[in-house]
Amino acid sequence: MTNSAAAAVTPERIMQFAWGYVPPLVLEAAIRHHVFDVLDSGPKTVPQLSAETRTSERGLTAITNALVGLNFLAKDAHGVFSLTPESAAFLVSTKPGFQGGIIRHCSEQLIPKFLSLNQIVATGKPIEAVNQENTGGEFFHEFVTDIFPMSYPAALALARHLDLSSPIRVLDLAAGSGVWGIALAQSSPHVTVTAVDWPEVIPVTRNTAARFGLSDRFAFVEGDLLKADFGTGHTVATLGHILHSEGRERSRALLTNVFHALAPGGTIAIAEFLVNPDRTGPIGSLLFAVNMLVNTDEGDTFSFEEISAWLSEAGFTNARTLEAPGPSPLVLATKPN
Ligand SMILES: C[S@@+](CC[C@H](N)C(=O)[O-])C[C@H]1O[C@@H](n2cnc3c(N)ncnc32)[C@H](O)[C@@H]1O
């Protein structure tokens, strides 16, 4: 190796990653202690923040300075902290764009499981899988509400894309909060929704639909996705962030069931964390695949090419992407007439 080549490589990135677990935990502590919420009413010093959040000045000093370094807060020459445009839009819990849901699960639900990653890699099996009803129902009960803001803009983009001017029967599979059906029903009075999820989660779907004043347009089916009877003749089926936890074989079976549940000409819409065909990116989807390793029996992240092959196998045609806000474009396909 030449000297110049040796000089070009530094351990700097590795040193940075050694502390990679800290930023989400700092964000979580700030969210839990309402730091962003309190700053939403105006800039404050640490003593003022301490009084309003009832947390220690020492703790707040450490995390607020770190948040300045991470560009989630700004600090002026007098030590007064304020929100940045990003934290004002997405980290204040009362804002519609609040994205703190996943972060809020870091210390209690996500990181503890990742601490067993060495063992999980050795065995290829999760310590506790959330794709099973007994553990998943409880996990998802709270989580689905927290991730509502992640999918709501994408669901509205789907609503804008579809023709909702005549009666539309939406089958919202793995409905969770009901975000996909809710956005579609809000967008047109012609939309009715059948929401399918585990019995532990359907009460959340029911409550969220009621909160949006849409109860009269929702029907609910409780059960496992591969066993539940969700009827036939639906015009649109949405599968929001479910294929990754189901894994290849269950996903393929589910797509076949969806094909039979749709009316001819019907549309299936799938939201996923897509990887490229070589599985070299994007990094968010590659990291999410590790999350599926840690949390599910057979989960993974898939490419558009893989999903479109399963769609063709199930009988769908014209698999395509629809650009939408979120981690990846949506995948759409049509049941032929
Ligand atoms: C990641 S959440 C997605 C919720 C919603 N579709 C969204 O995009 O926000 C996955 C949902 O699938 C449900 N789910 C997972 N596996 C299931 C299964 N085998 N049968 C029924 N529901 C399931 C969970 O309860 C949860 O509501």
Side-chain angles (χ1 to χ4, degrees), residues 43-320:
K44 294 187 176 59
T45 61
V46 162
Q48 288 169 328
L49 280 173
S50 169
E52 288 202 39
T53 62
R54 297 166 187 264
T55 47
S56 71
E57 288 194 20
R58 181 167 184 245
L60 280 173
T61 301
I63 66 165
T64 49
N65 284 330
L67 288 165
V68 171
L70 292 166
N71 294 322
F72 288 115
L73 291 180
K75 178 167 73 163
D76 73 9
H78 306 287
V80 180
F81 291 87
S82 56
L83 298 177
T84 62
E86 185 185 30
S87 53
F90 302 119
L91 293 173
V92 174
S93 67
T94 51
K95 296 281 178 70
F98 180 62
Q99 299 288 333
I102 286 186
I103 301 286
R104 201 148 56 186
H105 290 262
C106 273
S107 63
E108 287 169 15
Q109 288 186 305
L110 298 176
I111 290 178
K113 291 187 176 173
F114 268 83
L115 292 177
S116 303
L117 184 58
N118 293 343
Q119 185 187 338
I120 295 167
V121 168
T123 63
K125 296 197 179 353
I127 306 290
E128 184 184 77
V130 300
N131 60 303
Q132 304 290 345
E133 186 174 338
N134 52 355
T135 45
E138 193 187 331
F139 173 86
F140 283 117
H141 191 273
E142 192 183 331
F143 192 58
V144 292
T145 302
D146 283 330
I147 61 172
F148 184 101
M150 177 177 82
S151 291
Y152 188 59
L156 289 176
L158 176 66
R160 284 192 295 274
H161 172 77
L162 296 170
D163 177 4
L164 304 178
S165 59
S166 53
I168 298 284
R169 291 179 53 203
V170 173
L171 178 60
D172 186 355
L173 291 157
S177 63
V179 56
W180 295 89
I182 286 170
L184 292 169
Q186 274 183 313
S187 302
S188 164
H190 301 296
V191 170
T192 52
V193 182
T194 302
V196 187
D197 209 300
W198 281 319
E200 292 82 350
V201 180
I202 283 293
V204 181
T205 326
R206 208 182 277 279
N207 286 343
T208 320
R211 208 153 30 83
F212 280 84
L214 296 167
S215 298
D216 58 336
R217 293 209 266 143
F218 267 70
F220 303 93
V221 175
E222 299 181 350
D224 181 88
L225 287 170
L226 287 190
K227 297 186 193 135
D229 176 3
F230 33 77
T232 53
H234 301 281
T235 337
V236 173
T238 58
L239 286 80
H241 295 289
I242 183 62
L243 299 189
H244 53 240
S245 61
E246 292 291 85
R248 272 181 186 70
E249 296 318 314
R250 279 184 57 98
S251 289
R252 289 169 66 192
L254 180 58
L255 296 184
T256 299
N257 290 356
V258 174
F259 183 83
H260 294 304
L262 279 174
T267 305
I268 182 171
I270 298 170
E272 273 303 322
F273 294 87
L274 299 177
V275 286
N276 65 25
D278 297 335
R279 285 190 161 67
T280 54
I283 181 62
S285 299
L286 299 176
L287 295 179
F288 198 83
V290 184
N291 185 39
M292 289 298 95
L293 168 72
V294 168
N295 281 293
T296 69
D297 294 307
E298 301 192 352
D300 200 347
T301 47
F302 305 108
S303 65
F304 168 75
E305 289 73 9
E306 284 169 296
I307 293 173
S308 57
W310 303 339
L311 286 165
S312 306
E313 182 185 274
F316 289 98
T317 54
N318 191 20
R320 58 206 184 267

